Amino acid sequence: MAPPAPPPSRVFAELDLAPSPAPEGRVEPAALPGREVHVSGSAELSARPDRARVSLRLGSRKEAAVAARSSVSRRLQYIAHTARLHGIPEENMTVTEDFSRVENTYQMEAEVCIIFSDFGKMQNVCNLLIEKLGTSVTISPPHFYHTPEAIDVLRRQVCVTAVGNTRRKAQEVCQLFGQALGKPLLIKEEETKEWGGHIDSHLSLSADSQTLQERIQNATAYASCRVFAVFEIKGKENRRSKLP
């Protein structure tokens, strides 16, 4: 659930319009002392998950150990071949195998975990494997999550966006009084919040009945940022029309 909305943005402007005398009759274009605009602003952004992990399970129980291993091995080779044809790097695939004896039979089980960055490609691979391997393979619903790099990008973007919103607000305040906005004197990040999203974990709390889009939405990460800034106020705004 999203946190409560931040309080309304505050705008404080000190607009002493009486110009200070320039030394020795020289006109000074820089901002006059004490002329400042104080503004706070905020931003909220979201980021869809950038990774999905799919787990495939398969197994075989035979009276002969070689037959049990061979049955699973053939399917593992087909899964790896299909993944390579779709451009999945080998480092994005992990295979674990478990071989055991159950009563008078031999049991071979394997699990393949594949990490996708392209969700359309993920659907194509899963659909093909279901079509070709049928019930001999069990494919779990995808687990969507964010890489640390994706979360870092979200944090930077929401801060930069909040600063940009704050500057535009200060500029509009200055224009309202016929003034020009000067350079920033202070930019302070007052509050940041993050919610939603999934981390890189093998566990997923999502219900199996959810659709693919519902899973992506539930894994979407959100971030908000509020900043406070102080800008100089320069002289009168130049309103001369520019020649075409």
Side-chain angles (χ1 to χ4, degrees):
M1 178 181 298
S9 299
R10 300 164 296 162
V11 179
F12 304 97
E14 299 179 5
L15 297 171
D16 182 6
L17 303 183
S20 302
E24 301 180 359
R26 179 169 58 88
V27 177
E28 178 58 61
L32 301 176
R35 290 160 52 87
E36 300 173 348
V37 57
H38 297 199
V39 184
S40 67
S42 62
E44 180 180 312
L45 297 177
S46 63
R48 289 159 61 93
D50 62 325
R51 293 292 187 275
R53 179 186 292 105
V54 174
S55 176
L56 304 94
R57 293 180 176 85
L58 53 155
S60 177
R61 181 185 291 187
K62 304 286 186 181
E63 293 183 356
V66 174
R69 288 182 180 276
S70 177
S71 175
V72 172
S73 178
R74 287 195 304 269
R75 282 174 282 167
L76 286 176
Q77 291 175 2
Y78 182 78
I79 292 172
H81 175 71
T82 302
R84 285 193 297 269
L85 287 180
H86 286 79
I88 307 301
E90 290 188 6
E91 58 267 24
N92 285 9
M93 292 182 55
T94 57
V95 180
T96 56
E97 300 180 2
D98 180 62
F99 186 73
S100 60
R101 185 175 176 86
V102 180
E103 297 178 350
N104 295 325
T105 62
Y106 294 91
Q107 180 171 291
M108 180 71 179
E109 294 180 325
E111 180 182 16
V112 182
C113 288
I114 307 178
I115 296 176
F116 296 89
S117 58
D118 185 326
F119 300 160
K121 186 178 296 184
M122 174 194 70
Q123 288 182 281
N124 293 336
V125 171
C126 291
N127 291 341
L128 182 59
L129 292 177
I130 291 175
E131 177 185 349
K132 299 298 183 181
L133 299 179
T135 58
S136 68
V137 62
T138 301
I139 302 179
S140 66
H143 171 63
F144 295 98
Y145 65 95
H146 294 81
T147 58
E149 294 78 12
I151 294 297
D152 286 341
V153 170
L154 176 62
R155 291 168 179 163
R156 292 196 301 270
Q157 286 180 339
V158 73
C159 180
V160 171
T161 302
V163 172
N165 291 342
T166 305
R167 182 184 182 279
R168 283 189 292 272
K169 184 181 296 183
Q171 195 167 34
E172 292 176 2
V173 170
C174 289
Q175 291 174 351
L176 182 65
F177 293 96
Q179 305 295 298
L181 186 67
K183 65 182 180 180
L185 302 176
L186 172 69
I187 298 177
K188 180 182 178 182
E189 189 177 52
E190 290 189 322
E191 183 183 60
T192 58
K193 294 181 180 180
E194 297 178 16
W195 66 97
H198 290 164
I199 60 173
D200 181 5
S201 170
H202 287 274
L203 299 178
S204 177
L205 302 179
S206 302
D208 291 343
S209 60
Q210 289 181 335
T211 67
L212 193 68
Q213 290 303 319
E214 287 173 339
R215 290 177 177 277
I216 293 176
Q217 183 61 39
N218 288 339
T220 297
Y222 298 85
S224 66
C225 178
R226 187 173 74 243
V227 300
F228 174 77
V230 179
F231 294 89
E232 286 183 336
I233 298 177
K234 297 196 297 187
K236 291 285 185 178
E237 185 180 16
N238 186 2
R239 298 181 177 273
R240 291 181 301 174
S241 299
K242 295 182 180 180
L243 296 177

